[in-house]
Amino acid sequence: MPQILVEDLRKTFKVNRRQSGFFNSLKAFAHRQTTTVNALNGISFNLEEGELVGYIGPNGAGKSTTIKIMSGILTPDSGKCEVMGRIPWRQRIEHVRRIGVVFGQRTQLWWDVPVGDSFDLLKDIYKIPFQQYQKTKNELVESLGLQKLVETPVRQLSLGQKMRCELAASLLHQPQILFLDEPTIGLDAVSKLAVRDFIKKINRERGVTVILTTHDMDDIEALCSRIMLIGKGKILLDGTIEQIRNRISPERIMTIDFVRTPPSIAFPGVNSVRGEDGRLELHFNPSVISATDLINRITANNEIKDFIIENLPIEETIARMYDEFKI
Amino acid sequence: MNAIKLYFKYINLHVRGQLQYRASFLILNIGNLLVTFIDFIGIWVLFSRFGSLRDWNLWEIGLFYGMINSGYAISEAFGRGFDLFAYQVNTGEFDRTLLRPRTTVLQVLTHDFQLTRLGRLMQGLIILIWASINLGIHWSTFKILLLLFAVFGGVMLFTGLIVLQATMCFWSTQSLEIINSFTYGGIETAQWPLAIYNRWFVKFFIFIIPLACVNYFPVIAILGKNDVLNSPVWFQWVSPLVGVLFLFLSIRVWEFGVKHYRSTGS
């Protein structure tokens, strides 16, 4: 049985309709008008233990609603959701004991006291046995480099330091599943890399299942073996990065630096050519013309300095995906 | 048992956090003390002008006043998390509460603890003692018990009201004023002997929001006064029971609110 099983999950919200203007406000006060928003329109997927999944989609697509249901905060209207054999919203306390949740924008630590005190309080909240707590805490402090931060009040930490402490806090009780909601938002490059490395590490070494929502496509590329795309309350795509790339566009990019003026190129399979100062950028379809063929045909008549072959940047793939699904 | 231990750990954390800002802690405490003192001076001015209210003198009113304010100060210090609950809903902090393997009541209760409300408690106690000296009350075990019962019941009742006030936030964060008129209005009301009020008003504060049970009935027993309302004697002793019952019912309403929140997410 999968660790997380979601079947035809649906959720609608009533939103108060407000119009501008004084008289409209009065009218709304007397008679409240609401519109129904379908946040989730029948979502289904399975997750196995130890997966690292990127859950992506534009703002308002239903990402947080799904996360909130899976973590036991929200009750859905209909559909099935079982996490480790439990129904999150019915068995909230047993359920949340075994999951960890990090919101990039909100802290779970106590603002005015040293980080270590927050950890101690979490020990009591989660009823973690003393020995196990000491061991887990030491490991986390070690691998996240928190030695100096433990004594510092949270309000004095930088964003990157705070995020590292948040990650530690969410793992003290050794959850089997970790939900990360935009964990790298606002972080500098160094912190981002540290956070990514750590996520990869706990996934690999402890087998923690990680569900990651993010708008940072580098996160996705660096971390996720599987991507689920949600839009308008539906799962639109579900697969590996490669599968999604091929599905959206199998296109690859070859950039060539020529010794002399670049020639004009018009082979079948080459979709577009852009050039400047002795350099050409070719977008080609590898199923029509292979990279070897292409480079052979070009070097037959031209001397080149260098060339690189790349995938379409992930940002662009995702943007095309959003575009294709009109979300 | 574990929950109580955790509760005090939380309180400990808040107290340490608040003591970090020493100056602000002292100023807030003194401020709280002064504000409420000025309040009582208002009553004192009234009496110095008119002498008495029906057959109640200033120090008898002081006893009502001191008791109700001590109870309220305690419940405000401990129930501060519920008092500021609108903030937790607006910022989404309540979601975090739902993500922890503890009851919502325990977590919201411990979300904040207002040490500076001690100033208000001090003021309540000072007036209580001052009034009792002026009245020459002989504190028998029986009367001390009545007093403790009354204050305990008061703490429970006010905490219940604060919980109800917080519950309203699940529907609208703007409708707090309604409940405010019950908490603050209730305190204002109970600072005076209930007997001076209108009949339906009296009934409301006995049977709906049982402020009279935690204040009026025990106080007249302590003062040894005749009850113009002709209440049965056991009314003077029901304070803890009524308080606990009121808090229990408030928590049930709260749980219903939590259920509503989890189905609407706002």
Side-chain angles (χ1 to χ4, degrees), chain A residues 142-278:
Chain A
E142 181 75 25
S143 59
L144 283 160
L146 306 180
Q147 291 86 348
K148 284 185 186 147
L149 307 183
V150 180
E151 309 280 312
T152 321
V154 177
R155 65 185 143 88
Q156 290 171 9
L157 297 178
S158 74
L159 213 54
Q161 293 172 329
K162 212 184 295 166
M163 183 44 66
R164 272 145 63 203
C165 296
E166 292 284 334
L167 282 170
S170 66
L171 289 165
L172 283 171
H173 58 288
Q174 301 190 333
Q176 279 133 303
I177 301 174
L178 185 60
F179 295 96
L180 299 172
D181 192 11
E182 303 197 41
T184 56
I185 195 163
L187 300 191
D188 61 53
V190 178
S191 308
K192 255 186 201 174
L193 289 180
V195 165
R196 275 183 206 145
D197 280 348
F198 179 75
I199 294 171
K200 221 183 277 178
K201 193 176 155 191
I202 50 144
N203 173 254
R204 216 174 278 154
E205 291 176 9
R206 296 200 195 178
V208 176
T209 310
V210 179
I211 294 122
L212 171 78
T213 76
T214 182
H215 291 293
D216 186 330
M217 294 310 153
D218 295 332
D219 284 351
I220 300 281
E221 188 142 46
L223 293 173
C224 304
S225 48
R226 177 178 167 193
I227 296 179
M228 293 192 292
L229 170 72
I230 180 175
K232 292 180 188 154
K234 280 195 148 132
I235 301 276
L236 299 173
L237 276 178
D238 183 348
T240 63
I241 291 201
E242 277 322 301
Q243 284 171 335
I244 286 178
R245 274 217 168 92
N246 290 334
R247 162 85 175 69
I248 295 303
S249 156
E251 210 168 71
R252 310 194 90 197
I253 303 167
M254 184 184 287
T255 312
I256 311 167
D257 285 330
F258 291 89
V259 176
R260 284 176 216 94
T261 321
S264 61
I265 289 165
F267 305 136
V270 176
N271 301 333
S272 75
V273 182
R274 265 183 305 189
E276 50 178 271
D277 304 333

Side-chain angles (χ1 to χ4, degrees), chain A residues 24-232:
Chain A
N24 281 325
S25 299
L26 266 186
K27 217 160 63 184
F29 181 78
H31 180 74
R32 197 187 273 190
Q33 285 182 310
T34 55
T35 23
T36 312
V37 176
N38 291 324
L40 296 185
N41 240 332
I43 290 226
S44 307
F45 59 83
N46 288 339
L47 289 184
E48 297 298 333
E49 217 175 310
E51 280 198 86
L52 210 170
V53 185
Y55 194 43
I56 59 172
N59 293 325
K63 288 190 304 272
S64 1
T65 307
T66 324
I67 300 275
K68 280 184 176 177
I69 291 174
M70 286 194 287
S71 57
I73 297 174
L74 263 185
T75 315
D77 294 346
S78 69
K80 200 167 150 187
C81 172
E82 274 179 39
V83 181
M84 294 174 280
R86 291 199 181 84
I87 297 167
W89 59 93
R90 291 232 183 94
Q91 295 147 284
R92 182 182 73 81
I93 289 184
E94 293 80 12
H95 171 70
V96 295
R97 215 190 284 287
R98 300 171 68 187
I99 63 166
V101 184
V102 174
F103 294 115
Q105 316 251 42
R106 292 182 219 145
T107 179
Q108 59 179 316
L109 304 165
W110 284 263
W111 197 243
D112 280 327
V113 296
V115 175
D117 288 5
S118 286
F119 288 175
D120 287 347
L121 191 59
L122 286 170
K123 167 193 170 285
D124 290 312
I125 291 175
Y126 284 94
K127 301 180 186 166
I128 311 167
F130 183 73
Q131 302 253 314
Q132 184 196 328
Y133 167 70
Q134 286 295 340
K135 192 166 165 283
T136 320
K137 188 175 84 174
N138 291 339
E139 283 168 14
L140 289 167
V141 166
E142 181 75 25
S143 59
L144 283 160
L146 306 180
Q147 291 86 348
K148 284 185 186 147
L149 307 183
V150 180
E151 309 280 312
T152 321
V154 177
R155 65 185 143 88
Q156 290 171 9
L157 297 178
S158 74
L159 213 54
Q161 293 172 329
K162 212 184 295 166
M163 183 44 66
R164 272 145 63 203
C165 296
E166 292 284 334
L167 282 170
S170 66
L171 289 165
L172 283 171
H173 58 288
Q174 301 190 333
Q176 279 133 303
I177 301 174
L178 185 60
F179 295 96
L180 299 172
D181 192 11
E182 303 197 41
T184 56
I185 195 163
L187 300 191
D188 61 53
V190 178
S191 308
K192 255 186 201 174
L193 289 180
V195 165
R196 275 183 206 145
D197 280 348
F198 179 75
I199 294 171
K200 221 183 277 178
K201 193 176 155 191
I202 50 144
N203 173 254
R204 216 174 278 154
E205 291 176 9
R206 296 200 195 178
V208 176
T209 310
V210 179
I211 294 122
L212 171 78
T213 76
T214 182
H215 291 293
D216 186 330
M217 294 310 153
D218 295 332
D219 284 351
I220 300 281
E221 188 142 46
L223 293 173
C224 304
S225 48
R226 177 178 167 193
I227 296 179
M228 293 192 292
L229 170 72
I230 180 175
K232 292 180 188 154

Side-chain angles (χ1 to χ4, degrees), chain B:
Chain B
M1 220 48 218
N2 190 293
I4 293 169
K5 204 180 107 198
L6 180 63
Y7 179 82
F8 284 104
K9 288 222 167 145
Y10 266 115
I11 300 295
N12 181 299
L13 207 64
H14 287 304
V15 171
R16 269 191 297 160
Q18 282 166 37
L19 288 179
Q20 276 191 10
Y21 307 94
R22 213 173 338 166
S24 124
F25 173 74
L26 283 176
I27 292 167
L28 273 172
N29 253 324
I30 294 168
N32 261 321
L33 192 71
L34 280 181
V35 165
T36 34
F37 249 119
I38 290 166
D39 195 30
F40 188 70
I41 287 171
I43 298 177
W44 177 75
V45 168
L46 222 65
F47 272 91
S48 69
R49 194 100 184 98
F50 300 108
S52 67
L53 178 77
R54 297 246 176 103
D55 31 343
W56 305 86
N57 67 41
L58 174 66
W59 298 115
E60 288 166 341
I61 304 294
L63 204 60
F64 283 102
Y65 186 94
M67 273 173 69
I68 205 79
N69 274 290
S70 303
Y72 183 59
I74 296 172
S75 70
E76 234 197 345
F78 287 93
R80 188 69 177 163
F82 277 100
D83 210 9
L84 296 179
F85 185 66
Y87 172 79
Q88 293 173 54
V89 170
N90 288 338
T91 57
E93 270 179 63
F94 188 61
D95 285 352
R96 178 53 68 187
T97 300
L98 289 170
L99 288 172
R100 295 201 167 124
R102 294 294 184 148
T103 59
T104 52
V105 173
L106 177 70
Q107 290 187 77
V108 176
L109 204 60
T110 52
H111 189 270
D112 203 350
F113 170 75
Q114 203 67 9
L115 202 57
T116 54
R117 285 296 185 276
L118 289 179
R120 199 188 185 122
L121 176 63
M122 287 288 294
Q123 180 260 8
L125 289 178
I126 289 170
I127 290 177
L128 190 64
I129 293 164
W130 195 3
S132 110
I133 292 169
N134 275 286
L135 291 165
I137 294 175
H138 171 68
W139 287 102
S140 59
T141 348
F142 167 80
K143 282 185 177 173
I144 289 174
L145 212 58
L146 264 177
L147 177 76
L148 291 179
F149 271 30
V151 173
F152 174 78
V155 171
M156 293 294 124
L157 177 68
F158 282 124
T159 309
L161 281 172
I162 296 173
V163 169
L164 285 180
Q165 170 185 314
T167 307
M168 303 278 289
C169 298
F170 290 125
W171 282 271
S172 163
T173 43
Q174 265 121 51
S175 57
L176 294 179
E177 297 304 319
I178 299 174
I179 290 282
N180 268 345
S181 60
F182 287 118
T183 42
Y184 294 115
I187 295 162
E188 291 291 322
T189 308
Q191 284 168 6
W192 304 90
L194 203 65
I196 65 171
Y197 296 113
N198 192 316
R199 264 206 103 73
W200 66 264
F201 203 69
V202 170
K203 276 189 184 144
F204 180 80
F205 280 109
I206 296 176
F207 298 109
I208 311 289
I209 295 178
L211 268 171
C213 301
V214 304
N215 195 242
Y216 177 75
F217 298 128
V219 172
I220 52 166
I222 290 170
L223 289 173
K225 276 205 161 202
N226 269 336
D227 183 11
V228 283
L229 300 173
N230 292 319
S231 62
V233 181
W234 58 268
F235 265 38
Q236 298 159 3
W237 291 96
V238 293
S239 174
L241 198 72
V242 165
V244 168
L245 188 70
F246 190 82
L247 179 60
F248 174 76
L249 291 175
S250 305
I251 288 174
R252 294 311 296 267
V253 177
W254 162 262
E255 279 162 355
F256 177 74
V258 172
K259 211 168 157 190
H260 171 81
Y261 175 86
R262 294 177 71 194
S263 68
T264 58
S266 59

